Each structure stands twice: as structure tokens, then as C-alpha cells.
Amino acid sequence: MSLNILAVDDSRTIRDMLKLALTEVGYTLHLAEDGIHGLEVLAGISPDAIISDINMPRLDGFGFIEAVRGQEKHRATPILVLTTESAPDLKARARAAGATGWIVKPFDPPKLIKALRMVAG
């Protein structure tokens, strides 16, 4: 099963790691450097799932998730938060914004792939 994924993270290293892990299993990956760029990329694609960091310049993950959920077309698109943060209040805030799940960095590629299959497959 091939999934179309949008990954939004300001870390080049994380973007490279996601690209390696996800393209290896046949997923199509679209990358963005922050929330603003993520919305620009999203305008031209229909992802099966979105992966977003929280701490980013210009537009953070919370604002990005809220903006995505504000678009009729993407109300049901699964959004996984991928971040170094693990505080319960931040998880609750992400859920309130519309996040589907939460994965703490550094991520384990097989677990991330399993989570994507669960939410988007």
C-alpha cells in the first residue's frame, strides 16, 4: 500500500530521516520546512496523512494543524505530531487543535510506518 504523506519539520535532519524511512516502503513524501510552507505544499496535494513538528519558525505546529483543520478538504486527514516535546498539556493542546496522534523524537521508523498505516490505511 502506497501512501501520500506531507511532512512538516524545520529540521533538515528529521526531514532526511523521514524521507529515507518512508520512501523505502514506497510512500510518496512531500516535505515542508515550517507551517507556512506546509500550507503552501498542501494546497497542491491530497495527502493520506500529515506529519507535523510543533516547534517551528513562522507558523508552529499548533497553528498549522488548526489551519489544516479549517479547510473542508482536510478535516478528516490524519495528522501525526512528531516532536521532542512530551508534556501532557502540549499533547492535549495538539489534540484540541485537531491532531490524530503523537510520536516523540527520535522516532523509530517501523513504529512510525505502523502508526501511518493505522491512521491512513
Side-chain angles (χ1 to χ4, degrees):
M1 166 182 59
S2 179
L3 295 176
N4 195 15
I5 309 292
L6 170 60
V8 185
D9 199 301
D10 61 325
S11 163
R12 175 181 281 289
T13 304
I14 293 294
R15 290 195 309 270
D16 288 348
M17 288 169 62
L18 286 167
K19 187 172 189 172
L20 189 68
L22 300 180
T23 56
E24 201 171 77
V25 294
Y27 291 3
T28 300
L29 191 62
H30 304 272
L31 297 168
E33 297 168 10
D34 60 35
I36 298 284
H37 188 211
L39 292 171
E40 291 167 356
V41 173
L42 183 62
I45 62 172
S46 291
D48 296 303
I50 297 169
I51 298 168
S52 178
D53 189 13
I54 290 294
N55 299 312
M56 298 182 288
R58 297 202 304 161
L59 180 63
D60 71 8
F62 299 118
F64 171 72
I65 293 166
E66 287 169 357
V68 170
R69 289 294 182 235
Q71 298 177 28
E72 186 67 40
K73 177 180 170 186
H74 300 295
R75 288 241 161 85
T77 304
I79 301 174
L80 294 178
V81 173
L82 180 65
T83 182
T84 54
E85 305 285 351
S86 60
D89 60 320
L90 293 178
K91 288 183 183 179
R93 188 172 163 205
R95 247 186 236 106
T100 311
W102 189 278
I103 297 169
V104 178
K105 293 177 191 172
F107 69 93
D108 177 40
K111 283 186 182 164
L112 176 63
I113 290 160
K114 184 178 178 190
L116 286 168
R117 286 187 178 138
M118 282 173 52
V119 299

